[in-house]
């Protein structure tokens, strides 16, 4: 069952990457504003969570599980900060490829910390998927010579690995949906914290408010897609191996690239002409990723 959720998440992640890239390039005065707008939009959507509780059998987890779930949400938002900075420097498809540091690091960390051992062919397939993603990275470097975004996404992936391992622990020890809601609460609280405690952040964000207010429905749509992707990802982690669930997300660069090309054909507002660079090579890499996912499936 974990595979069902793991397969549904990547297309939504890809859509979020493209829309976030548009916001960083055309809307935000600073890339970190994406963290705050994401948190505020999530807070609006989270207002409907209590209505969900009316239709489920629930009970509060223990306090240490709640604390870990909130911490996981904070780590997710910290990773988002690095991610938005990377989007300022590189197009969305390449940033998504750099995000595949996560499935590279996760099996190693899971083995040493949790004794999680996969089948040999799992490691081989993950290696193939990661190798295809590295090729996407090399295409970017050959064109821009930019290593900053690689470093930023390496930091984001390191934080993401920590968040995933904490999530797996809390899901094992309490009901998934309750833990998911506390993780989202952690995302919201950590995202708005800089706005509340750092005067320079509050001042810069206030100057951008007139532009942001007119795009509030757009931000809500992005965050709905983001929450769907996050739910699918965490549900796959809950039901299966974190390493295999993360491996399935190596397809996000392929989806991002294909969606970008599709958008370029219909609407240049959200597309990026750089996606056409070495088009044939990228299509081959997408085919390799597809074969790898089929092998894991």
């Amino acid at each position: 069952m974990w595979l069902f959720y793991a397969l549904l998440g990547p297309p939504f992640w890809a859509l979020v990457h493209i829309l976030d890239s548009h916001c960083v390039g055309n809307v935000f005065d600073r890339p970190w504003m994406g963290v705050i707008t994401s948190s505020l939009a999530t807070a609006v959507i989270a207002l409907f969570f209590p209505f969900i509780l009316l239709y489920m059998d629930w009970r509060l987890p223990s306090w240490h599980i709640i604390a870990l779930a909130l911490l996981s949400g904070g780590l997710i938002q910290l990773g988002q900060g690095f991610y938005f900075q990377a989007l300022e420097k590189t197009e969305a498809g390449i940033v998504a490829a750099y995000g595949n540091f996560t499935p590279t690091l996760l099996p190693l960390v899971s083995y040493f910390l949790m004794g999680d051992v996969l089948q040999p062919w799992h490691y081989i397939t993950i290696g193939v998927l990661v190798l295809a993603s590295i090729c996407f990275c090399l295409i970017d470097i050959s064109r821009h010579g930019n290593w900053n975004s690689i470093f930023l996404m390496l930091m984001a992936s390191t934080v993401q690995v920590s968040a995933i391992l904490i999530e797996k622990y809390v899901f094992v020890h309490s009901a998934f949906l309750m833990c998911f809601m506390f993780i989202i609460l952690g995302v919201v609280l950590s995202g708005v914290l800089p706005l509340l405690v750092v005067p320079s952040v509050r001042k810069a964000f206030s100057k951008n408010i007139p532009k942001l207010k007119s795009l509030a429905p757009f931000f809500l749509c992005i965050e709905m897609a983001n929450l769907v992707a996050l739910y699918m990802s965490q549900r796959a982690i809950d039901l299966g191996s974190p390493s295999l669930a993360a491996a399935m997300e190596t397809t996000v660069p392929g989806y991002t690239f294909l969606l970008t090309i599709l958008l370029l054909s219909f609407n240049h507002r959200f597309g990026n002409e750089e996606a056409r660079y070495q088009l044939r090579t990228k299509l081959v890499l997408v085919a390799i990723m597809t074969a790898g996912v089929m092998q894991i499936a």
Side-chain angles (χ1 to χ4, degrees):
M1 191 62 180
W2 71 271
L3 184 60
F4 170 78
Y5 292 100
L7 287 172
L8 287 180
F12 286 96
W13 286 128
L15 178 61
V16 170
H17 283 321
I18 294 170
L19 297 180
D20 282 344
S21 180
H22 168 74
C23 291
V24 170
N26 301 284
V27 178
F28 301 141
D29 288 348
R30 304 280 198 285
W32 51 258
M33 289 184 181
V35 173
I36 297 176
T37 57
S38 172
S39 298
L40 294 175
T42 301
V44 173
I45 297 171
L47 293 176
F48 295 93
F49 282 2
F51 295 99
I52 299 175
L53 296 177
L54 295 176
Y55 297 96
M56 58 176 282
D57 182 20
W58 64 277
R59 60 178 180 175
L60 285 175
S62 62
W63 287 110
H64 87 280
I65 293 296
I66 293 175
L68 287 173
L70 293 173
L71 174 62
S72 176
L75 290 173
I76 290 172
Q77 202 61 282
L78 177 60
Q80 286 287 94
F82 292 119
Y83 156 76
F84 277 109
Q85 293 288 335
L87 279 177
E88 184 184 31
K89 304 176 185 299
T90 306
E91 59 114 342
I94 302 298
V95 169
Y98 292 160
N100 284 346
F101 286 126
T102 300
T104 308
L105 297 171
L106 190 55
L108 297 175
V109 177
S110 295
Y111 173 76
F112 287 108
L113 293 184
M114 305 172 63
D116 186 12
V117 180
L118 304 177
Q119 297 296 323
W121 61 270
H122 282 147
Y123 292 109
I124 294 171
T125 305
I126 290 173
V128 170
L129 290 170
V130 170
L131 180 61
S133 297
I134 291 174
C135 291
F136 268 110
C137 302
L138 294 176
I139 290 173
D140 180 47
I141 293 169
S142 69
R143 186 165 192 180
H144 300 286
N146 186 353
W147 290 88
N148 291 336
S149 54
I150 298 176
F151 174 75
L152 288 167
M153 287 307 295
L154 179 60
M155 296 296 293
S157 294
T158 302
V159 172
Q160 183 67 15
V161 167
S162 302
I164 288 173
L165 293 177
I166 293 173
E167 287 165 6
K168 182 63 177 180
Y169 178 84
V170 300
F171 293 153
V172 167
H173 290 84
S174 190
F176 168 78
L177 196 55
M178 285 300 300
C179 291
F180 177 75
M181 290 182 180
F182 278 109
I183 290 170
I184 297 304
L185 179 60
V187 168
V188 172
L189 293 176
S190 58
V192 300
L193 186 62
L195 188 63
L196 298 176
V197 301
V198 183
S200 59
V201 170
R202 188 162 55 250
K203 182 178 179 181
F205 187 77
S206 297
K207 290 181 179 179
N208 216 209
I209 285 179
K211 185 192 300 184
L212 299 178
K213 284 176 64 177
S214 64
L215 293 172
F218 180 61
F219 294 136
L220 288 173
C221 290
I222 295 176
E223 205 51 38
M224 281 295 295
N226 189 46
L227 287 176
V228 170
L230 191 60
Y231 176 87
M232 297 299 175
S233 173
Q234 295 190 350
R235 190 58 171 158
I237 292 170
D238 174 39
L239 297 174
S241 163
S243 297
L244 292 181
M248 300 303 287
E249 292 182 8
T250 57
T251 58
V252 173
Y255 280 111
T256 304
F257 166 67
L258 293 174
L259 280 175
T260 301
I261 295 296
L262 184 63
L263 286 171
L264 282 172
S265 302
F266 295 98
N267 189 336
H268 285 255
R269 181 183 178 188
F270 298 110
N272 190 323
E273 288 290 345
E274 291 189 0
R276 297 188 189 276
Y277 179 64
Q278 294 198 14
L279 179 60
R280 292 182 180 178
T281 302
K282 290 179 177 179
L283 287 174
V284 170
L285 293 174
V286 170
I288 292 172
M289 289 179 171
T290 302
V293 170
M294 291 175 64
Q295 181 63 26
I296 290 180

